[in-house]
Amino acid sequence: MKRLVVLISGYGSNLQAILDACRRGELPARVVAVISNRADAFGLQRAIDAGVPAIPLPFYKDLHLDRAGYDEVLAEVIEQYQPDLIVCAGWMRILSPAFVRRFAGKIINLHPALPGTFPGTHSIEAAYQAFRRGEIQRTGVMVHYVDEGVDTGPVIATRHVPIHPTDTLKDLEQRIHKAEHELLVAAIREIIEDRG
Ligand code: GAR
């Protein structure tokens, strides 16, 4: 059983997809901890409901931690759980270079756009608007290893997602999220199988 630590910032529907796949035996893995940089993230409740340690780790300005300092604390917490893989599933913080080096080859990220497109936040809306301006015909989702950039790094898996002229933003969001839930579980399974 591979050990997964999942990093989240919000709703946690992708975390739920991982938890469900583990429970059904579709992933030879166990989520050993869920960490959120937001104390009010609904995903923490999903972890509690699944019997997984749920760790809020908000960024306290009054602790005078900079990004590197916060990431050191984060790394210390993560290391206690000895993960084989760290999964950023809606983790909306940029990880510092030292953190990325410390866990080299062990951190993956899910992003709701195709490689090289719409990095950062509000990516689905950005793709939707680009479609409406006639700049793109389709969008997609990807899972990649994390490097020192924003939503960049060696690509593990991608899936195209169509955009239809009649789509509302909500329609596209739902189609993207469905694709993400499937792709993320498939990508984790592929990594586990490759590593044996
Ligand atoms: C997902 O769409 C994920 O791809 C995105 O945040 C959402 C989290 O949803 N991540 C990024 O935009 C990273 N740049 P969830 O909390 O329901 O899993």
Side-chain angles (χ1 to χ4, degrees):
M1 281 287 173
K2 296 293 180 188
R3 299 170 64 81
L4 311 178
V5 166
V6 182
L7 306 185
I8 61 162
S9 300
Y11 187 56
S13 67
N14 287 283
L15 163 68
Q16 192 66 57
I18 297 170
L19 290 168
D20 291 347
C22 291
R23 180 172 43 80
R24 292 193 203 111
E26 291 163 12
L27 265 184
R30 193 156 70 88
V31 179
V32 291
V34 172
I35 303 172
S36 171
N37 67 313
R38 295 187 53 128
D40 60 353
F42 180 67
L44 289 171
Q45 188 58 47
R46 297 179 189 271
I48 292 167
D49 291 346
V52 171
I55 304 162
L57 199 66
F59 176 76
Y60 291 113
K61 278 209 165 65
D62 47 357
L63 288 182
H64 302 294
L65 286 176
D66 56 8
R67 183 181 300 285
Y70 177 89
D71 282 4
E72 245 179 84
V73 176
L74 177 65
E76 293 297 324
V77 174
I78 291 175
E79 255 168 16
Q80 290 173 29
Y81 292 93
Q82 302 186 336
D84 297 294
L85 206 58
I86 300 165
V87 182
C88 298
W91 173 255
M92 304 308 271
R93 275 185 69 87
I94 296 164
L95 295 165
S96 60
F99 182 97
V100 172
R101 279 196 300 272
R102 185 159 170 176
F103 296 105
K106 273 194 179 185
I107 319 167
I108 65 170
N109 179 49
L110 170 70
H111 186 62
L114 292 171
T117 68
F118 313 114
T121 57
H122 307 297
S123 310
I124 305 174
E125 190 175 350
Y128 181 75
Q129 298 303 348
F131 174 81
R132 298 197 73 87
R133 290 194 300 269
E135 292 165 11
I136 57 168
Q137 305 308 316
R138 62 182 176 184
T139 183
V141 298
M142 68 162 161
V143 178
H144 62 95
Y145 285 105
V146 171
D147 67 9
E148 292 171 20
V150 178
D151 298 315
T152 61
V155 174
I156 300 162
T158 60
R159 183 172 295 180
H160 288 121
V161 175
I163 312 177
H164 306 306
T166 52
D167 276 349
T168 62
L169 175 59
K170 199 163 181 51
D171 292 331
L172 180 61
E173 282 170 350
Q174 282 173 353
R175 199 173 302 126
I176 290 266
H177 291 318
K178 185 168 183 299
E180 287 188 313
H181 299 161
E182 292 167 9
L183 190 75
L184 182 57
V185 170
I188 295 171
R189 189 184 306 117
E190 193 182 305
I191 292 168
I192 291 175
E193 283 169 2
D194 281 0
R195 291 185 184 177

